[in-house]
Amino acid sequence: MDFSSFLTSLGTSFLLFFVLMCLFTWLSRRPSNHVIYYPNRILRGLDPYDGFRATRNPFTWIREALASTEADVIRCSGVDTAVHFVFLTTVLAILVLAGVIILPILLPISITARGIVKVNDTTSEGTFDDLDKLSMGRIEESSPRLWAYLLSTYWVSVVTYYLLWKAYKHVADLRAEALMSPEVKCEQFAVVVRDIPPPTGGQTRKEQVDSYFKAIYPDTFYRSMIVTDNGKVIKIYEELEGYKKKLARAEAIYASSKKGGNPEGIRPTTKTGWLGLIGKKVDAIEHYDAKIKELIPKLEAERKLTLKDKQQCAAIIFFNNRTTAAAASQSLHDTMVDTWTVLDAPEPRQIIWTNLPKHFYQRQIRQYVIYFIVFLTIFFYMIPIGFVSAFTTLENLKKLLPFLKPILDQQIIRTVLGAYLPQLALLLFLALLPKFLLFLSKAEGIPSESHAQRAASGKYFYFSILNVFIGVTIGSTLFSTLKEVEKDPNMLFTLLAQSLPGSATFFLTFVALKFFVGYGLELSRIVPLIIFHIKKKYICKTEAELKEAWTPGDLGYATRVPGDLLIFTVVLCYSVIAPLIIPFGVVYFGLGWLVLRNQVFKVYAPSYETYGKMWPHIYTRIVASLILYQITMLGYFGVKKFYYAPILIPLPITSLLFAFICDKKFYRFFQTTALEVACRELKEIPNMEVIFRSYVPLCLRSDSEKADEDQFEDALSHVSRSSSMA
Amino acid sequence: MDFSSFLTSLGTSFLLFFVLMCLFTWLSRRPSNHVIYYPNRILRGLDPYDGFRATRNPFTWIREALASTEADVIRCSGVDTAVHFVFLTTVLAILVLAGVIILPILLPISITARGIVKVNDTTSEGTFDDLDKLSMGRIEESSPRLWAYLLSTYWVSVVTYYLLWKAYKHVADLRAEALMSPEVKCEQFAVVVRDIPPPTGGQTRKEQVDSYFKAIYPDTFYRSMIVTDNGKVIKIYEELEGYKKKLARAEAIYASSKKGGNPEGIRPTTKTGWLGLIGKKVDAIEHYDAKIKELIPKLEAERKLTLKDKQQCAAIIFFNNRTTAAAASQSLHDTMVDTWTVLDAPEPRQIIWTNLPKHFYQRQIRQYVIYFIVFLTIFFYMIPIGFVSAFTTLENLKKLLPFLKPILDQQIIRTVLGAYLPQLALLLFLALLPKFLLFLSKAEGIPSESHAQRAASGKYFYFSILNVFIGVTIGSTLFSTLKEVEKDPNMLFTLLAQSLPGSATFFLTFVALKFFVGYGLELSRIVPLIIFHIKKKYICKTEAELKEAWTPGDLGYATRVPGDLLIFTVVLCYSVIAPLIIPFGVVYFGLGWLVLRNQVFKVYAPSYETYGKMWPHIYTRIVASLILYQITMLGYFGVKKFYYAPILIPLPITSLLFAFICDKKFYRFFQTTALEVACRELKEIPNMEVIFRSYVPLCLRSDSEKADEDQFEDALSHVSRSSSMA
């Protein structure tokens, strides 16, 4: 890639960002688009503008974002979001603090080192001289100037330790504060029990569970709820809900047909067969009505059957105080560790019910099998990434696809393609994976959605680092040097160190593309906007359908976190070798912070709350990146034949020690709730019945809750009415 | 070593054993020796003979041992002892089951393989033909007869898995039964808290601890006891106790002098200076009396000072029910894991008080430093062991110490020395180490004596395996092949496999010596008997001194367990290569079982009870031995150029899996108490005051407990009188 490509890339990226910003300013003011730009506020019942409309300033959103506090974030999007901001702030602070010292020192040193650079040791293979001046590649072998780079490596590490430590402490405080809040949170009163052994002596499952826990917690045990196999109920329930929607839709169509000149209206019709496309033609409203009337008793019968006969070997136990629940989730209950396994109850909305009854060893085996599949996935994707890397140069493209030659010879296409092609291919390619990884993580038998997201995020991170960072870096020299690595795996770090400078501009462009285009798209929400308007015009007929069309997603940590971590790893590893990347990193995380603040207040609605359990996960990976950076630098100083390179050896050791100490000090509190936190006073005496009911799966709740409360009580008494209630 | 040496060794060992047995039968009947042979029974207030005296059969003790049940063992020596018997029984069963199948198959196979043995591949370097016939070394390379050996390897492994699994289950049951006993055990009502942060806001340490735990356990918290720095009190207390003993002794001397013809008696004198040897001569009784009178108020003052001003950052917390204590010891209390660390309270008698206030990170650092010291110890002892190995042959001895030649040329000395010298040197050498390892383990900051013993036992095991087993085996070829190992560490197993047959007879003799002489000495208690009689005659003057002289020790797990494990490892590793070792192993563990049963009922008094916490420790090391055996066999089949050797590869993998599953299923219950176990009903309402007082260190208790109960209450109220008592 030459310098003009780089500038083109930057320029077009910025242009695109500018256009998207303008679009955002313009579109977000149109009231018909409010549901896309302010869904979070609308869902919370607030006015979209909240007094800011007066100014027509396109940068109002920036002012709003900067004015908001952490408490605001927690209030309107929860602790998890606040923790993500801690992550962004910490990384931003690391880069700013590193840059403030490194840039003014290292840039002059490498500029003044001009004249002694070798052609085969530049950051851009000799064609990109201007950027090249500013990198460590320019420094002569074993030059005393390398001392500055060595000290910079130390500086970056020390800054990272200091800020990470502060951040971990802060996050632990956030978590503690949230958990000791006087609000009643139902998950704090419950624990999940798995691996319940088969009941003996003619006991029902429920009697067994109740008597077991009543013996251990005579004063604090409230009630139990046996997990049931809801597969069939869910099927009927979904069928019923489907018909209800269709009925509402048919009625809406009928009503709107009345308006249009024809006071009688046209009654919509449907066909009874597959997808309403084949079979006998019938009146839609009557048909759906009949179906619903047929399904309601069927659902009720299936519900009763499920509650009675499909009880599984897992249960949710409710206690009437938080301390007992917190202590119970940490204690060994049975002498055999693989029975009566107890864990913290997740929020009702994030329980993966089907995973609860999976058995202890099944979970273990699933976990290892899936680790193996992920391992294969990571390493077999290496091959396509290798191809991407081979296509990176236009010359290769012309050679491989000679019929494209006339097109590629045009200067403008050449420049644009040269700038974007490899990065776009990579970004597209990465978009395929997360869903697959989330599916795999759920198949491990993980009991909660948030945990599955964390597991998927971890897998995606390793994939990104291995394939994007290491793959692309070494990729350019991969085929020539793969054999050397095979001979001696330790070579990998030296090889990585040697190849790093060659890929610096690729990653500069990669980061720039990610923030300009990525954040532009995120802020302007062009894609959801278009989809919404299409749906609104052609598909949605009822209010409910419309609401479904604009309801925002959550923050999507499973891809957001590894994405940001990848950028951080890249920037960190290049911070000393090509310090010019630091400002790009600063812009990435700064802009990211701003855009996300806006989106958090106005758009996204979090779909669960874990009180910061994501943090240790993020933290570990930041430290892993740091160690990768330190070892790579050690390798690179070796390549530079710097006599004092071993001075860097204490760094990775310190990092491991730092990780170990942080883990010891903080980690356990992120796995469980500390009793000191759980024992705080509540605002009110908790209504245990409400807490209990919040855990009843939707499909097992009676529809007509208001009408026949008694029937509802009756149906559930099969599950869980404990005699302690009498 | 030639065949006659081997037979001499066996013969003299057996002779010694026989003599010691006869001595035991004769000596144990003399009433004056009862305190040596029946101290456990005497301490428990039982008649030494318990109806068995009628028979004058010297094998009565064997009948008694065989007739006793596990329940008897638990009743009179505790669960730990019963668990040790489970270990002995399991190992014995493994060897018997293995031997019953292996011996009748493998012995004929190797005997009929005569004629094809090579001189450099025998078990005794060609000089010991008779034993050699029975070993795997006789089998030709890649002979199909090796199939039998391969299947035997599988058989031994499968037997070990099956019996270990059964044993682990049984031990878990024993532990559960003991822990759910309706007897009140004070350690079940307490937890130890360490790393208490400095008190804030003018609180005393006691107020801080009390308010912290009362908030978390409003209903179940009983009282707290702050750990104090007792160094100075202990010094004064011991001085006082010393003078009391001396006074009693002086009075006894005075009383006995009255009997001997002189009705006035001679008042004993002492000197005031160092050890009573220098200084002014004074009347002993008056002098000690004055000293005691002087020390009592000093002790009282120091006690008050200690209780008030020397409170440390650790405490013992008492709860009024077992379930809460069990749950508390497993729960995270503070958000920072390194403060308010809670653990199960050990029994009062085994608490290492000085280790309780050691800080979190200090403990961590101490642990790693000590691991490093142990590592050095293990590897620097290699050098002396190398010498032992070099001295093993008389030829070497003659070469190195030529002046011994005339002595060594005498046939009888030659034979005896050849049989015993190396083994005796080794045994003597091993006797030096355990105390040092126990000292190191305590220095780690471990809070209880039993835990320190376990830690020492672990260290001693690794030492034994590395130095005795691997050291001696490879030792003979060590100097020639050390360089090869340096080049490729994987060579170690092949080398070990190659060297094993050469050391078979050494270990046969080693095992025989250990059981004949070791058990003979243990049963006959010659050494304690002689020491006791010397003390009785020349030193002890008072009843208390006499009792101190015969009070038996405990079972000494820190050396007993690694010793037995070493023998098991040796027998296991040779079980297929030289199956003749199996009967030796069977005798070792069978005889060991019998002798220990006798000693447990009549001699030893356990000094602590951990309810089987030693078991996972033993279990892990048995599995480690099994893996060592499997890998060695794999190596040896490789040496034999057996084409199907890779069939053994699944074995070590299965062992790891087996260890993993057992660990997952059972281990946690051995670390903590399961709530299901702790919640069982008690026989009576526990007297919390008694429980609390049992934890007051001896030196802080008032002497005159009966006289001024109030003063005792008063003194302690500084520590721990909680307002919840009011």
Side-chain angles (χ1 to χ4, degrees):
Chain A
M1 186 190 299
D2 54 29
F3 193 51
S4 70
S5 285
F6 178 68
L7 284 191
T8 313
S9 165
L10 270 191
T12 46
S13 294
F14 181 73
L15 199 72
L16 204 58
F17 180 68
F18 187 76
V19 168
L20 289 169
M21 274 273 286
C22 294
L23 261 176
F24 165 67
T25 314
W26 180 63
L27 287 171
S28 66
R29 286 175 195 206
R30 298 173 54 123
S32 68
N33 292 338
H34 281 175
V35 289
I36 289 302
Y37 293 103
Y38 305 95
N40 178 314
R41 298 183 67 89
I42 293 170
L43 283 176
R44 282 185 295 147
L46 296 174
D47 177 61
Y49 292 120
D50 197 15
F52 279 109
R53 201 187 186 176
T55 65
R56 295 193 65 87
N57 187 335
F59 298 106
T60 313
W61 66 272
I62 294 179
R63 223 182 55 212
E64 284 176 63
L66 288 174
S68 62
T69 65
E70 191 168 56
D72 295 335
V73 174
I74 293 175
R75 202 174 48 246
C76 93
S77 190
V79 178
D80 284 349
T81 313
V83 167
H84 194 78
F85 278 110
V86 173
F87 163 50
L88 293 179
T89 320
T90 306
V91 167
L92 188 61
I94 291 172
L95 295 182
V96 168
L97 265 182
V100 161
I101 299 289
I102 285 182
L103 285 175
I105 294 175
L106 295 193
L107 291 188
I109 288 179
S110 49
I111 289 172
T112 55
R114 186 201 285 263
I116 42 172
V117 66
K118 294 184 205 158
V119 176
N120 63 349
D121 193 26
T122 68
T123 54
S124 54
E125 286 136 23
T127 59
F128 187 10
D129 202 37
D130 291 305
L131 250 183
D132 211 29
K133 275 184 211 157
L134 309 168
S135 81
M136 188 173 161
R138 305 260 302 171
I139 310 297
E140 207 181 21
E141 275 178 8
S142 50
S143 152
R145 286 175 188 241
L146 288 170
W147 274 106
Y149 291 88
L150 194 139
L151 291 177
S152 301
T153 311
Y154 261 94
W155 172 247
V156 172
S157 305
V158 168
V159 162
T160 310
Y161 298 142
Y162 172 69
L163 290 169
L164 265 188
W165 178 266
K166 261 186 65 181
Y168 216 141
K169 242 183 169 154
H170 180 59
V171 170
D173 287 345
L174 284 183
R175 178 173 165 84
E177 214 170 287
L179 286 176
M180 62 171 79
S181 120
E183 303 286 332
V184 173
K185 282 162 188 155
C186 52
E187 69 274 14
Q188 290 194 305
F189 292 86
V191 298
V192 170
V193 189
R194 304 168 91 176
D195 311 305
I196 303 173
T200 51
Q203 274 185 318
T204 65
R205 177 72 77 178
K206 177 157 176 41
E207 283 162 3
Q208 177 202 19
V209 171
D210 280 0
S211 67
Y212 189 89
F213 281 95
K214 230 181 293 166
I216 298 177
Y217 306 100
D219 307 320
T220 46
F221 173 74
Y222 172 69
R223 231 171 128 166
S224 70
M225 181 172 126
I226 311 290
V227 173
T228 48
D229 176 9
N230 299 335
K232 216 165 169 189
V233 177
I234 287 176
K235 218 177 137 189
I236 300 174
Y237 177 77
E238 278 174 356
E239 205 181 340
L240 178 64
E241 289 298 304
Y243 279 122
K244 277 184 186 164
K245 267 190 205 162
K246 281 179 186 164
L247 179 64
R249 190 185 157 83
E251 276 168 350
I253 292 170
Y254 182 48
S256 72
S257 75
K258 277 185 192 162
K259 279 181 211 151
N262 183 353
E264 284 290 292
I266 306 155
R267 290 185 71 86
T269 58
T270 186
K271 289 177 176 167
T272 55
W274 181 74
L275 280 180
L277 294 177
I278 50 172
K280 215 175 67 177
K281 201 171 180 180
V282 290
D283 181 281
I285 294 175
E286 278 168 21
H287 175 67
Y288 295 141
D289 227 33
K291 277 282 179 194
I292 288 169
K293 279 192 186 120
E294 181 193 321
L295 280 172
I296 284 176
K298 205 172 149 192
L299 177 64
E300 215 47 53
E302 185 59 39
R303 258 178 201 155
K304 282 201 177 125
L305 189 77
T306 302
L307 291 174
K308 203 155 166 259
D309 294 334
K310 294 189 178 170
Q311 300 186 358
Q312 305 279 299
C313 65
I316 297 173
I317 311 295
F318 298 88
F319 297 100
N320 56 28
N321 80 62
R322 302 198 285 189
T323 318
T324 312
S329 72
Q330 299 175 51
S331 298
L332 177 70
H333 281 71
D334 196 85
T335 55
M336 296 298 133
V337 184
D338 57 357
T339 51
W340 298 98
T341 329
V342 175
L343 72 158
D344 260 327
E347 290 174 310
R349 57 179 169 174
Q350 51 161 316
I351 292 184
I352 304 174
W353 290 96
T354 47
N355 274 346
L356 291 187
K358 293 214 168 92
H359 278 285
F360 193 80
Y361 295 106
Q362 196 194 350
R363 274 160 12 221
Q364 302 277 346
I365 292 164
R366 275 166 176 268
Q367 202 180 30
Y368 288 108
V369 168
I370 279 165
Y371 285 172
F372 183 66
I373 295 175
V374 169
F375 172 82
L376 288 185
T377 309
I378 288 177
F379 282 89
F380 278 102
Y381 265 84
M382 267 292 199
I383 298 160
I385 284 278
F387 275 99
V388 168
S389 188
F391 272 95
T392 303
T393 56
L394 283 174
E395 278 61 39
N396 280 350
L397 209 61
K398 268 192 277 183
K399 252 184 268 163
L400 286 161
L401 307 167
F403 57 89
L404 285 178
K405 208 174 174 250
I407 307 172
L408 291 174
D409 280 341
Q410 287 183 307
Q411 190 50 40
I412 187 154
I413 291 181
R414 224 185 129 88
T415 314
V416 170
L417 268 188
Y420 281 134
L421 194 74
Q423 289 86 345
L424 273 180
L426 194 60
L427 287 176
L428 198 77
F429 170 75
L430 288 178
L432 299 168
L433 199 65
K435 292 241 174 246
F436 177 61
L437 293 179
L438 188 61
F439 164 78
L440 283 181
S441 300
K442 283 185 183 168
E444 280 180 38
I446 285 170
S448 72
E449 184 69 29
S450 62
H451 190 166
Q453 295 254 1
R454 280 200 298 282
S457 159
K459 296 181 176 80
Y460 194 51
F461 172 74
Y462 292 118
F463 174 85
S464 306
I465 292 296
L466 254 156
N467 287 305
V468 182
F469 182 50
I470 297 182
V472 168
T473 307
I474 301 187
S476 47
T477 55
L478 186 68
F479 300 110
S480 56
T481 41
L482 203 61
K483 275 175 199 160
E484 287 176 49
V485 176
E486 255 173 47
K487 267 184 254 156
D488 177 12
N490 284 333
M491 267 293 290
L492 186 69
F493 287 108
T494 317
L495 187 63
L496 190 61
Q498 276 176 328
S499 315
L500 271 177
S503 307
T505 43
F506 173 87
F507 282 112
L508 273 179
T509 327
F510 181 68
V511 173
L513 188 73
K514 260 224 147 181
F515 66 69
F516 280 135
V517 180
Y519 290 139
L521 283 174
E522 168 129 20
L523 190 65
S524 65
R525 287 178 69 74
I526 292 292
V527 181
L529 186 77
I530 293 168
I531 293 173
F532 168 70
H533 279 293
I534 292 172
K535 276 193 179 165
K536 190 180 171 189
K537 186 135 195 185
Y538 300 106
I539 301 171
C540 303
K541 299 293 175 189
T542 63
E543 273 301 306
E545 282 176 328
L546 209 60
K547 192 178 168 189
E548 208 171 83
W550 61 255
T551 299
D554 66 357
L555 283 83
Y557 293 115
T559 51
R560 183 179 296 274
V561 169
D564 287 354
L565 280 171
L566 172 65
I567 299 290
F568 178 66
T569 310
V570 167
V571 175
L572 195 66
C573 287
Y574 279 105
S575 61
V576 171
I577 293 177
L580 206 66
I581 206 168
I582 293 178
F584 283 80
V586 168
V587 174
Y588 178 84
F589 287 105
L591 212 55
W593 189 94
L594 278 179
V595 170
L596 194 65
R597 274 270 154 134
N598 183 68
Q599 306 298 81
V600 158
F601 284 116
K602 295 174 189 160
V603 181
Y604 297 132
S607 60
Y608 55 77
E609 172 68 271
T610 64
Y611 308 104
K613 279 193 179 179
M614 192 67 167
W615 174 257
H617 176 96
I618 295 174
Y619 156 82
T620 313
R621 280 154 190 82
I622 293 181
V623 175
S625 300
L626 187 67
I627 293 174
L628 179 67
Y629 155 67
Q630 290 162 341
I631 294 180
T632 317
M633 285 312 295
L634 194 60
Y636 193 59
F637 276 104
V639 171
K640 283 278 171 195
K641 303 209 174 97
F642 189 49
Y643 189 72
Y644 300 100
I647 292 176
L648 289 176
I649 290 173
L651 274 185
I653 297 166
T654 313
S655 298
L656 285 174
L657 214 71
F658 176 76
F660 176 78
I661 290 174
C662 278
D663 230 47
K664 278 274 172 190
K665 187 175 174 70
F666 300 108
Y667 183 49
R668 211 179 140 196
F669 177 51
F670 284 82
Q671 292 179 294
T672 53
T673 306
L675 298 190
E676 187 214 25
V677 162
C679 74
R680 299 301 165 100
E681 291 264 318
L682 284 166
K683 205 170 60 183
E684 56 194 349
I685 294 161
N687 183 337
M688 290 308 297
E689 203 51 34
V690 170
I691 290 173
F692 173 76
R693 278 195 205 161
S694 68
Y695 273 91
V696 178
L698 224 65
C699 63
L700 290 180
R701 292 184 199 175
S702 259
D703 310 309
S704 40
E705 274 187 54
K706 286 145 261 159
D708 44 4
E709 187 76 13
D710 288 339
Q711 181 264 355
F712 165 71
E713 288 280 314
D714 205 47
L716 274 171
S717 68
H718 290 294
V719 217
S720 48
R721 203 91 261 232
S722 124
S723 56
S724 75
M725 282 293 293
Chain B
M1 187 188 299
D2 55 27
F3 192 52
S4 69
S5 287
F6 178 69
L7 284 189
T8 313
S9 164
L10 271 190
T12 46
S13 294
F14 181 73
L15 199 71
L16 204 57
F17 180 68
F18 186 76
V19 168
L20 289 170
M21 273 273 286
C22 294
L23 262 179
F24 165 68
T25 313
W26 180 62
L27 287 171
S28 67
R29 283 170 197 212
R30 298 172 56 123
S32 68
N33 292 337
H34 281 175
V35 290
I36 288 302
Y37 292 103
Y38 303 95
N40 178 312
R41 297 182 69 88
I42 292 168
L43 284 175
R44 283 185 294 146
L46 296 174
D47 177 62
Y49 291 121
D50 198 14
F52 279 109
R53 201 185 186 179
T55 65
R56 296 195 62 88
N57 187 336
F59 297 105
T60 314
W61 67 272
I62 295 180
R63 222 182 58 211
E64 282 176 64
L66 288 173
S68 62
T69 65
E70 191 168 56
D72 294 335
V73 173
I74 293 175
R75 202 174 46 247
C76 93
S77 190
V79 178
D80 284 348
T81 312
V83 167
H84 194 79
F85 279 111
V86 172
F87 163 50
L88 293 178
T89 320
T90 306
V91 167
L92 188 62
I94 291 172
L95 294 182
V96 168
L97 264 181
V100 160
I101 300 288
I102 285 182
L103 285 174
I105 295 175
L106 295 194
L107 292 188
I109 288 179
S110 47
I111 288 173
T112 56
R114 187 201 285 265
I116 42 174
V117 67
K118 292 184 206 160
V119 177
N120 64 350
D121 194 26
T122 68
T123 52
S124 55
E125 285 134 23
T127 59
F128 187 11
D129 203 35
D130 292 305
L131 251 183
D132 211 28
K133 274 184 208 157
L134 309 168
S135 82
M136 191 174 159
R138 309 259 304 169
I139 310 297
E140 208 182 20
E141 276 180 7
S142 50
S143 152
R145 284 173 190 243
L146 288 170
W147 273 107
Y149 291 88
L150 195 138
L151 292 177
S152 300
T153 312
Y154 261 94
W155 171 248
V156 172
S157 305
V158 168
V159 163
T160 310
Y161 297 142
Y162 172 70
L163 289 171
L164 265 189
W165 178 265
K166 261 186 65 182
Y168 216 141
K169 242 184 169 150
H170 181 58
V171 170
D173 288 345
L174 284 183
R175 177 175 165 82
E177 215 169 288
L179 286 175
M180 61 172 79
S181 120
E183 303 287 332
V184 173
K185 283 162 188 154
C186 51
E187 70 273 15
Q188 289 194 307
F189 291 86
V191 297
V192 170
V193 188
R194 302 167 91 177
D195 312 305
I196 302 173
T200 52
Q203 275 184 319
T204 66
R205 177 72 76 179
K206 178 160 173 41
E207 283 162 5
Q208 176 203 18
V209 172
D210 280 1
S211 67
Y212 189 89
F213 282 94
K214 230 182 293 167
I216 298 177
Y217 306 99
D219 307 319
T220 46
F221 172 74
Y222 172 70
R223 230 170 130 165
S224 69
M225 181 172 129
I226 311 290
V227 173
T228 48
D229 176 10
N230 298 336
K232 216 163 167 192
V233 178
I234 286 177
K235 218 177 137 192
I236 299 174
Y237 177 76
E238 278 173 356
E239 205 181 339
L240 179 63
E241 290 297 306
Y243 281 122
K244 278 185 188 164
K245 267 189 206 161
K246 282 180 187 163
L247 179 63
R249 190 185 158 82
E251 275 167 351
I253 292 171
Y254 182 47
S256 72
S257 75
K258 276 184 194 165
K259 280 180 213 150
N262 184 352
E264 284 290 290
I266 305 155
R267 287 185 75 85
T269 57
T270 186
K271 288 178 180 165
T272 54
W274 181 73
L275 281 180
L277 295 176
I278 50 170
K280 213 174 69 176
K281 202 170 181 180
V282 290
D283 183 282
I285 295 176
E286 277 167 22
H287 175 67
Y288 295 141
D289 228 32
K291 276 282 176 195
I292 289 169
K293 278 191 186 123
E294 181 194 321
L295 281 172
I296 285 176
K298 206 173 152 193
L299 178 65
E300 215 46 55
E302 186 57 41
R303 258 177 202 154
K304 282 201 175 125
L305 188 78
T306 302
L307 291 174
K308 204 155 166 260
D309 295 334
K310 293 190 179 169
Q311 300 186 1
Q312 305 279 298
C313 66
I316 298 174
I317 311 294
F318 297 89
F319 297 101
N320 56 29
N321 80 62
R322 302 198 283 191
T323 318
T324 312
S329 72
Q330 299 174 51
S331 298
L332 177 70
H333 281 72
D334 197 84
T335 55
M336 295 299 134
V337 184
D338 57 358
T339 51
W340 299 98
T341 328
V342 175
L343 72 158
D344 261 327
E347 290 174 308
R349 56 180 168 173
Q350 52 161 315
I351 292 184
I352 303 175
W353 291 96
T354 48
N355 274 346
L356 290 187
K358 293 215 168 91
H359 278 286
F360 193 80
Y361 295 105
Q362 197 195 352
R363 282 174 347 235
Q364 304 277 347
I365 293 166
R366 276 167 175 268
Q367 202 180 29
Y368 288 107
V369 168
I370 279 165
Y371 286 172
F372 183 67
I373 294 175
V374 169
F375 172 83
L376 288 186
T377 308
I378 288 177
F379 282 89
F380 277 102
Y381 266 84
M382 268 295 199
I383 297 161
I385 284 278
F387 276 99
V388 169
S389 188
F391 273 94
T392 303
T393 56
L394 284 174
E395 277 62 39
N396 280 350
L397 208 61
K398 267 191 278 184
K399 250 182 271 166
L400 286 161
L401 306 168
F403 56 90
L404 285 178
K405 206 171 176 256
I407 306 172
L408 292 174
D409 279 342
Q410 286 183 306
Q411 189 53 37
I412 188 154
I413 290 180
R414 227 183 126 85
T415 313
V416 171
L417 270 186
Y420 280 133
L421 192 75
Q423 288 87 343
L424 274 179
L426 195 60
L427 288 175
L428 196 76
F429 172 74
L430 288 177
L432 298 169
L433 199 65
K435 291 240 175 248
F436 177 60
L437 293 178
L438 187 62
F439 164 77
L440 283 181
S441 300
K442 283 184 183 169
E444 278 181 38
I446 286 170
S448 72
E449 183 68 29
S450 63
H451 192 166
Q453 296 254 0
R454 283 199 298 283
S457 159
K459 295 181 177 80
Y460 194 51
F461 173 74
Y462 291 118
F463 174 85
S464 306
I465 292 297
L466 255 157
N467 287 306
V468 183
F469 183 50
I470 299 183
V472 168
T473 308
I474 301 187
S476 47
T477 55
L478 186 68
F479 300 110
S480 57
T481 42
L482 202 63
K483 275 177 200 161
E484 286 177 50
V485 175
E486 255 174 47
K487 267 185 254 156
D488 178 12
N490 284 333
M491 267 293 291
L492 186 69
F493 287 109
T494 317
L495 188 63
L496 191 60
Q498 277 175 327
S499 315
L500 272 179
S503 308
T505 42
F506 174 88
F507 283 111
L508 273 179
T509 328
F510 182 69
V511 173
L513 189 73
K514 260 224 148 181
F515 65 70
F516 279 135
V517 180
Y519 289 139
L521 282 175
E522 167 130 20
L523 189 65
S524 64
R525 287 177 70 73
I526 291 294
V527 181
L529 186 77
I530 293 167
I531 293 173
F532 168 69
H533 278 295
I534 291 172
K535 276 191 180 168
K536 190 179 170 190
K537 189 136 193 183
Y538 301 105
I539 301 172
C540 303
K541 299 293 173 189
T542 63
E543 272 302 305
E545 282 175 329
L546 209 62
K547 192 179 168 187
E548 209 172 82
W550 61 254
T551 299
D554 67 355
L555 283 83
Y557 294 116
T559 51
R560 184 179 295 273
V561 169
D564 287 354
L565 280 170
L566 172 65
I567 299 291
F568 178 66
T569 309
V570 167
V571 175
L572 196 67
C573 287
Y574 279 106
S575 61
V576 171
I577 293 177
L580 205 66
I581 206 168
I582 293 179
F584 284 80
V586 168
V587 174
Y588 177 85
F589 287 105
L591 212 55
W593 190 92
L594 277 179
V595 170
L596 194 65
R597 274 270 154 136
N598 182 70
Q599 305 300 81
V600 157
F601 284 116
K602 294 174 189 158
V603 181
Y604 296 131
S607 60
Y608 56 77
E609 172 67 272
T610 64
Y611 309 103
K613 277 193 179 178
M614 192 67 167
W615 174 257
H617 175 96
I618 295 174
Y619 156 82
T620 313
R621 280 155 189 83
I622 293 180
V623 175
S625 299
L626 187 67
I627 294 174
L628 179 66
Y629 154 68
Q630 291 163 341
I631 295 180
T632 316
M633 286 313 294
L634 194 60
Y636 193 58
F637 277 104
V639 170
K640 284 275 169 196
K641 302 209 174 101
F642 189 50
Y643 190 70
Y644 300 99
I647 293 177
L648 289 177
I649 290 173
L651 275 186
I653 297 166
T654 313
S655 297
L656 285 174
L657 213 71
F658 176 76
F660 176 78
I661 290 174
C662 279
D663 229 46
K664 278 272 172 192
K665 186 176 175 71
F666 300 108
Y667 184 49
R668 212 180 138 195
F669 176 50
F670 283 82
Q671 292 180 292
T672 53
T673 306
L675 298 189
E676 186 213 26
V677 163
C679 74
R680 300 302 165 100
E681 290 266 317
L682 285 166
K683 204 169 60 181
E684 55 194 350
I685 293 161
N687 183 338
M688 289 308 296
E689 203 53 31
V690 169
I691 290 173
F692 172 77
R693 278 197 205 160
S694 68
Y695 273 91
V696 179
L698 225 65
C699 62
L700 290 181
R701 291 186 200 174
S702 260
D703 310 309
S704 42
E705 274 187 55
K706 285 146 259 157
D708 43 5
E709 187 75 15
D710 287 338
Q711 182 263 358
F712 167 70
E713 288 279 314
D714 205 45
L716 274 169
S717 69
H718 291 292
V719 218
S720 47
R721 204 91 260 231
S722 127
S723 57
S724 74
M725 282 294 294

